[in-house]
Amino acid sequence: MLLAPYAMHSADSRGRRYPEPAHPYRGPFQRDRDRILHSAAYRRLNGKMQVFTGDMGDYHRTRLTHTQEVASIARTLGRALRLNEDLIEALALVHDIGHPPFGHAGEDALDECLADEGGFSHNRQALVIVEELELRYPEFPGLNLTWETLEGQQTRASKGADASSESPTASSPDSAPGHLLEVKVVEAADSITYDAHDTDDAIELGLVEIGELEAIALARECLQRVRERFGDVQGEVLRRAVVHELIDRQVSDVLTHTMSVLVQNAPHSAEAARRADVPVCGSAGLIEQKAELEDFLKKRVYRHPRLIEVRRKAQQRLRAMLELYAERTDLMPEKFQARAARVGPRRSAADYLAGMTDRYCDEQYQRHFGGKVC
Ligand code: MG
């Protein structure tokens, strides 16, 4: 399919930090995607919790399955908008690669431990991973991704970072005014995905009753549509059908709204779309409905007592381990001992901990502190 004029065309890529010859049959963004897919950090997403932990069963999303769902929805949006699907996929696969164990609880604990040295954010950590920590190629450190993929991730890092903190790595591209449409598509897909799957997981885990969704406008509309189409379905069939509707409704609205903006603006190039800061988002109505659903999830799911307890314990473990590794760098693998001399023992300890899966982190805690996992 022909890319739209406002798509990021591979031939216009600004290239890589360490120049490489073109590949005979893979474009630059396909290569980025493959490099991310083959990285150790990507594989470890399988052992990292999204919202819910392994103790709560094996139905719910992990950081890896979340990433795959984001990539799938982002590609659907990208194809319909005739954007660069290879770049979209690379951006989606890398977007959560910097997550430490134990989700946002883990991130908050590391951020607190590094408060005096720039803090910790999973979005910035993704750049550290792909530019420094992954050592897979003899010719260069990191994955040597294209400028565009790095810039997309930098966008996320800058948005989350506090204004006074410096760019995470010197080689990261400066954030430009406005961003490529491909970057915005992944942002939109991330939000669509977690709103839908966190609702699904919360009901499956029994944290929320499906009937409670009647009070949330977006979910109520989905329930109504399911009943119109399938009659009086119940239980798991109802839950799954509602989640399909939640995704479909959001994707359709974002597409309709974004296409109408693109028709009005008619940007003639990716740069023109960037300069005009053409948004990729839903209608005002959907944005309002999503805010209501997210508020519900925050109160009823993310702050559920079962999760708060899991988080509190995980944070204690991470804090204790960070102090231990910073004091005893010899307990870390050689790579992180050497890194401690360059970036300081606390930062290197955080880099090591952030790369761990939930289970490996628990095992190491037991090894060093003994007894049962706190
Ligand atoms: Mg995400």
Side-chain angles (χ1 to χ4, degrees):
M1 191 179 62
L2 215 57
L3 293 185
Y6 45 76
M8 178 67 214
H9 294 244
S10 300
D12 298 332
S13 169
R14 297 191 203 184
R16 305 175 191 277
R17 185 180 186 189
Y18 302 93
E20 294 178 51
H23 191 276
Y25 50 85
R26 286 185 303 156
F29 304 131
Q30 272 183 294
R31 292 173 87 184
D32 280 3
R33 176 203 60 200
D34 295 344
R35 287 174 187 197
I36 297 158
L37 190 73
H38 289 283
S39 69
Y42 180 79
R43 284 195 300 282
R44 290 202 197 102
L45 294 177
N46 189 33
K48 296 189 183 199
M49 61 185 266
Q50 176 72 16
V51 174
F52 310 104
T53 74
D55 299 343
M56 297 168 133
D58 60 6
Y59 174 83
H60 56 78
R61 274 72 176 176
T62 65
R63 197 62 65 181
L64 181 67
T65 59
H66 159 75
T67 296
Q68 288 167 332
E69 289 183 38
V70 172
S72 163
I73 289 173
R75 287 183 54 183
T76 297
L77 290 169
R79 189 173 302 185
L81 295 168
R82 294 199 293 133
L83 295 172
N84 192 317
E85 270 185 68
D86 292 332
L87 176 57
I88 284 173
E89 196 175 7
L91 290 167
L93 295 191
V94 86
H95 91 281
D96 268 352
I97 210 172
H99 255 291
F102 307 113
H104 288 285
E107 176 170 29
D108 291 345
L110 294 181
D111 189 39
E112 196 188 296
C113 289
L114 293 178
D116 294 338
E117 28 201 305
F120 178 93
S121 106
H122 76 275
N123 286 323
R124 273 186 283 155
Q125 190 66 11
L127 289 167
V128 175
I129 289 169
V130 299
E131 294 192 290
E132 299 176 49
L133 294 179
E134 285 283 337
L135 301 173
R136 307 187 65 76
Y137 302 93
E139 314 96 292
F140 44 76
L143 305 179
N144 201 28
L145 302 177
T146 58
W147 191 93
E148 289 74 22
T149 300
L150 291 174
E151 195 229 13
Q153 186 59 33
Q154 177 68 51
T155 302
R156 297 177 65 86
S158 313
K159 245 174 45 180
D162 89 52
S164 64
S165 68
E166 288 179 1
S167 170
T169 52
S171 65
S172 302
D174 300 331
S175 60
H179 306 291
L180 292 172
L181 290 166
E182 284 81 356
V183 174
K184 294 174 178 175
V185 158
V186 175
E187 290 284 300
D190 193 20
S191 165
I192 291 170
T193 308
Y194 59 65
D195 280 353
H197 70 41
D198 289 351
T199 305
D200 184 31
D201 289 350
I203 298 167
E204 206 277 339
L205 284 166
L207 305 183
V208 167
E209 292 288 325
I210 199 157
E212 293 179 75
L213 298 183
E214 295 281 2
I216 315 297
L218 181 59
R220 184 169 59 242
E221 284 177 22
C222 293
L223 278 163
Q224 278 164 2
R225 278 186 62 178
V226 169
R227 289 191 185 115
E228 279 162 24
R229 289 177 64 193
F230 305 111
D232 184 28
V233 288
Q234 297 290 333
E236 277 186 26
V237 179
L238 176 62
R239 169 169 55 79
R240 287 179 185 150
V242 167
V243 174
H244 291 160
E245 282 296 335
L246 265 176
I247 294 173
D248 192 55
R249 227 189 140 283
Q250 294 181 81
V251 170
S252 303
D253 188 282
V254 167
L255 273 181
T256 309
H257 185 255
T258 304
M259 276 170 174
S260 73
V261 176
L262 280 168
V263 167
Q264 279 168 24
N265 281 265
H268 57 83
S269 68
E271 271 311 303
R274 181 205 286 277
R275 277 197 304 274
D277 208 6
V278 174
V280 175
C281 64
S283 61
L286 181 78
I287 291 171
E288 201 178 304
Q289 288 188 336
K290 275 170 70 68
E292 186 194 20
L293 175 61
E294 286 168 12
D295 192 48
F296 171 82
L297 290 171
K298 201 181 287 173
K299 288 183 185 138
R300 293 296 319 279
V301 180
Y302 307 144
R303 291 185 195 149
H304 194 280
R306 268 170 81 188
L307 281 174
I308 287 177
E309 186 59 9
V310 168
R311 283 192 198 131
R312 191 185 59 76
K313 289 178 175 172
Q315 292 188 326
Q316 278 179 3
R317 295 197 292 278
L318 277 173
R319 281 192 215 105
M321 287 166 83
L322 187 127
E323 298 304 331
L324 176 71
Y325 289 133
E327 186 79 17
R328 293 273 318 271
T329 53
D330 59 299
L331 293 174
M332 297 195 288
E334 266 176 34
K335 173 175 147 182
F336 292 97
Q337 293 181 34
R339 188 167 169 76
R342 290 200 305 278
V343 301
R346 295 181 76 77
R347 175 66 63 183
S348 186
D351 289 338
Y352 177 45
L353 280 166
M356 293 182 183
T357 60
D358 300 352
R359 197 190 58 175
Y360 187 76
C361 188
D362 281 344
E363 284 170 7
Q364 294 307 303
Y365 180 86
Q366 279 203 302
R367 189 175 143 212
H368 296 309
F369 295 94
K372 80 181 202 347
V373 172
C374 82

